[in-house]
Amino acid sequence: MDCKMTEAAKPPLTGLRVLDLSRILAGPTATQLMSDLGAEVIKIERPGKGDDTRAWGPPFLKDADGNDTAESAYYLCANRGKKSLALNIASAEGQQIIRELAAVSDILVENFKAGDLARYGLDYESLRDVNPRLIYCSITGFGQTGPYASRAGYDFLIQGMGGIMSLTGEVDGPPTKVGVGIADVMCGMYATTAILSAVHARAASGEGQHIDVSLFDSQISWLINQGTAFLTDGKPPPRRGNEHPTIVPYSTFPATDGDVILAIGNDGQFRRFCEVAGHGMLADDPRFATNVARVENRAVLVPLLGEITRTRSVDDWVSALEDKAVPCGPVQDLEAVFSHPVTQAREMKITLPHPVAGSVDLIGNPLKMSGTPVAYQGAPPTLGQHSQAVLAEVLGKSQAEIDRLAQDDIIEKDRTP
């Protein structure tokens, strides 16, 4: 899908300005979502280097000649629709520019270690004096308070410390992390929810507020049923591979040409599966007739089902079971995912113009809103791509002043050919 901004319907956050001092993944995930929803997002980056993830490759986006650009796939995943201002905030003039931007912004998102920005006079208390309506969101590893407040947080570390790795992996295998930075991503989602809640509260109070959200807290919150199971019976849940702790059968099973997922959530579905499989008597066996019984006897049932499923192909099972409303499906690699007709119909792969590569393929936004749909405001920016425009259009600085800031290495202008 080729995506262009349309004037027909404005996205819901149109008119909000976000000052984005975050980098890596949690903060950029939140600010990219707000950009898709219509907010103007000004991304502050270090001159010369930019967001750390720009260099986290390969793979890198290719230019028109097939050469690597300065944008890694990792950077591209969370930075579309933003304006890049390359600014040295370690300098007094750079700090003053942040204050000026904060004065005309609605939201500020940062993920520095707790207390770091106070050294520059850019903490919440300082900027609240500049703009009492500012909603200031701090994203850290372990929060602004508590014994680990000074520690840095990283997704892998948080997955381990926050419990999800103890639940992930094969029964007899080692603890295993999720294959993407899910602790970062979920923290970004919680941050977005908090920010938009604060925007709503501000409409009534006229006041901004400080939001303290951490990767560790977020990770614990999405332990969901497994975390609550421990709080209920005091027993740490074991790893179960692809199996569900309280539903059976709910796992991957071998087929002749791969693995098929069975996600059978009730007794009627189990009976229909058994009938399709030609083993209707299993649904009448008291060991397997109810979900509670199947959970208690999973060690017997799961191997039996594996012997049955390995007699047909994945497509055969999917075709036969979908016709009977039994949840099932293939385990797809990403090539299959992005070529899937549902992916295409749901516009989950998008193509945006890019100043160096010509175009860039990205993952689409999953929000489908009938009255105020999302709109992609542009590709992930090159470093400093909007330095000139932000200083001139947002802060009203003259060309001579902008040139002087560049000459003094306070800012970096766009170096795109």
Side-chain angles (χ1 to χ4, degrees), residues 223-237 245-246:
L223 292 174
I224 307 295
N225 59 308
Q226 290 284 64
T228 306
F230 169 74
L231 295 176
T232 300
D233 65 13
K235 299 176 182 178
T246 56

Side-chain angles (χ1 to χ4, degrees), residues 61-85:
L61 186 65
K62 302 289 187 182
D63 64 17
D65 297 322
N67 301 311
D68 285 347
T69 68
E71 280 76 51
S72 71
Y74 202 118
Y75 166 77
L76 295 172
C77 82
N79 288 287
R80 68 167 167 258
K82 304 177 186 180
K83 298 176 179 178
S84 173
L85 167 56

Side-chain angles (χ1 to χ4, degrees), residues 129-162:
D129 292 338
V130 173
N131 179 2
R133 291 176 56 82
L134 184 67
I135 295 163
Y136 188 115
C137 180
S138 296
I139 298 174
T140 56
F142 297 96
Q144 301 292 308
T145 61
Y148 280 17
S150 64
R151 295 194 182 188
Y154 299 90
D155 178 271
F156 188 14
L157 175 66
I158 297 300
Q159 287 197 39
M161 294 184 66

Side-chain angles (χ1 to χ4, degrees), residues 32-113:
Q32 176 173 269
L33 179 54
M34 287 186 279
S35 171
D36 287 352
L37 291 170
E40 176 189 15
V41 179
I42 300 172
K43 182 179 178 69
I44 305 300
E45 300 193 73
R46 287 174 292 179
K49 182 177 181 181
D51 190 310
D52 303 61
T53 60
R54 287 182 180 274
W56 285 11
F60 292 91
L61 186 65
K62 302 289 187 182
D63 64 17
D65 297 322
N67 301 311
D68 285 347
T69 68
E71 280 76 51
S72 71
Y74 202 118
Y75 166 77
L76 295 172
C77 82
N79 288 287
R80 68 167 167 258
K82 304 177 186 180
K83 298 176 179 178
S84 173
L85 167 56
L87 177 68
N88 177 12
I89 69 168
S91 68
E93 283 194 278
Q95 293 156 20
Q96 179 56 30
I97 289 172
I98 293 296
R99 294 186 191 97
E100 293 173 19
L101 288 169
V104 294
S105 295
D106 298 280
I107 298 156
L108 184 149
V109 179
E110 59 93 5
N111 67 341
F112 286 74
K113 288 201 300 183

